């Protein structure tokens, strides 16, 4: 299946995309992760993107469409994928439609993770990521087994993202409402929007998501 995960920062898109990747082998295509890798590698793109991301603004449509265009050529994308954090603007959604047309493929569904702002702030401020392997934790809801140490690779470099500082979180939420929110109508208009209550436990969200996936696979929507 080819899915889009749509929703505000901190709504759990990345967490569920990773779970789906492990279960179904549909790669998680996260433009945020791609940009962070470019920053870590010190590429020209990374240098440009860092300042924009740290301020909570969006990187240009042209850059992220280029990244997705390249990534979709990967062999691992042929039987399905989950777009996590892309598209985020109407021009990005239109570019994706054109790309799909060219490849003679279709997006099956766009899953909207719905959740209140107050919960998002709590989730983002408690998020910690392993800088070695990318595993994700939350200080309260999903803490590492041993404090400060990654469960997956054992590294002791659990870091807070620059853009998870309170003032940047507010900016990201504002940008989401101004630029990404219109995509809800866009995918509703295409009959592809599926809504999930993202303010539930990890396993409840996972269950709701598998019902959507099974429903779409069996043509029940
Ligand atoms: P990006 O990396 O995409 O960030 P985001 O969309 O803001 O989303 P997040 O990664 O913050 O949240 P998430 O929904 O994945 O939640 P998560 O699963 O981590 O983008 C970063 C920046 O890159 C952008 O600001 C922009 O500058 C740039 N960018 C990226 N894509 C772009 C694009 N297409 N166009 C332009 N610019 C782009 O969960 C959050 C926390 O909550 C975790 O700690 C997790 O453990 C916890 N949690 C998750 N689910 C639950 C649950 N059910 N219950 C309790 N806790 C939970």
């Amino acid at each position: 299946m080819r899915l889009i995960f749509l929703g505000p920062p901190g709504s759990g898109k990345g967490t569920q995309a990773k779970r789906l990747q492990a279960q179904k082998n549909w790669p998680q295509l996260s433009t945020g992760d791609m940009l962070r890798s470019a920053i870590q590698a010190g590429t020209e793109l990374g240098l440009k993107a860092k300042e924009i991301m740290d301020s909570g603004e969006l990187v240009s449509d042209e850059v992220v469409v280029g990244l997705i265009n390249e990534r979709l050529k990967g062999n691992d994308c042929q039987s399905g994928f989950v777009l996590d954090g892309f598209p985020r603007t109407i021009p990005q959604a239109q570019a994706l439609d054109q790309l799909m047309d060219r490849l003679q493929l279709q997006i099956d569904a766009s899953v909207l993770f719905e959740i209140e702002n107050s919960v998002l702030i709590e989730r983002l401020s408690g998020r910690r990521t392993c800088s070695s392997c990318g595993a994700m934790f939350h200080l309260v809801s999903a803490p590492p087994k041993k404090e400060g140490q990654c469960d997956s690779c054992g590294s002791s470099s659990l870091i807070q993202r620059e853009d998870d500082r309170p003032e940047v979180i507010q900016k990201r939420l504002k940008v989401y409402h101004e630029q990404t929110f219109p995509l809800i109508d866009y995918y509703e208009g295409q009959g592809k929007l599926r809504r999930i209550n993202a303010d539930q436990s990890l396993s409840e969200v996972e269950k709701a998501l598998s019902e959507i996936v099974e429903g779409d696979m069996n043509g029940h929507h």
Side-chain angles (χ1 to χ4, degrees), residues 4-214:
I4 292 170
F5 280 3
L6 189 62
S11 55
K13 306 179 298 291
T15 303
Q16 295 298 334
K18 282 189 177 61
R19 289 181 163 214
L20 213 50
Q21 171 165 299
Q23 287 163 10
K24 302 274 188 190
N25 224 5
W26 300 329
Q28 171 199 14
L29 309 186
S30 156
T31 36
D33 285 350
M34 292 174 203
L35 291 164
R36 279 184 290 276
S37 299
I39 292 175
Q40 226 172 9
T43 64
E44 196 181 327
L45 163 64
L47 291 175
K48 276 195 206 144
K50 183 168 177 9
E51 204 175 319
I52 302 171
M53 290 170 77
D54 287 354
S55 74
E57 296 280 354
L58 294 184
V59 172
S60 79
D61 291 336
E62 197 191 344
V63 164
V64 288
V65 169
L67 287 173
I68 288 295
N69 189 8
E70 277 309 304
R71 186 61 185 85
L72 286 178
K73 293 176 187 162
N75 278 338
D76 59 337
C77 295
Q78 303 317 309
S79 64
F81 51 78
V82 178
L83 288 167
D84 166 16
F86 178 92
R88 246 173 158 100
T89 63
I90 294 284
Q92 289 179 25
Q94 290 166 337
L96 176 64
D97 281 346
Q98 285 166 12
L99 205 62
M100 289 289 108
D101 281 349
R102 254 203 327 274
L103 298 168
Q104 296 186 310
L105 296 174
Q106 283 236 357
I107 294 295
D108 296 292
S110 182
V111 182
L112 175 64
F113 287 62
E114 293 187 298
I115 191 162
E116 294 291 325
N117 274 4
S118 53
V119 186
L120 296 174
I121 294 166
E122 203 270 330
R123 284 200 186 170
L124 290 172
S125 43
R127 172 166 57 184
R128 295 293 180 275
T129 313
C130 173
S131 65
S132 299
C133 74
M136 201 157 38
F137 303 91
H138 188 278
L139 294 181
V140 180
S141 65
K145 290 195 185 88
K146 228 176 164 189
E147 199 185 326
Q149 193 173 320
C150 176
D151 293 351
S152 304
C153 74
S155 144
S156 50
S157 51
L158 298 188
I159 53 160
Q160 181 170 34
R161 267 169 50 176
E162 272 296 312
D163 59 350
D164 281 346
R165 289 175 292 126
E167 63 279 18
V168 188
I169 293 175
Q170 293 296 347
K171 176 73 189 176
R172 287 161 67 202
L173 292 174
K174 187 164 177 276
V175 167
Y176 174 79
H177 284 285
E178 287 171 358
Q179 302 195 46
T180 310
F181 207 68
L183 292 183
I184 298 174
D185 278 350
Y186 185 88
Y187 287 111
E188 194 125 60
Q190 292 189 353
K192 290 185 177 164
L193 194 77
R194 314 280 179 262
R195 293 171 189 267
I196 265 190
N197 172 9
D199 188 8
Q200 308 181 81
S201 70
L202 287 173
S203 55
E204 284 167 324
V205 177
E206 188 178 1
K207 185 164 171 272
L209 187 60
S210 16
E211 282 167 11
I212 288 177
V213 168
E214 298 310 323

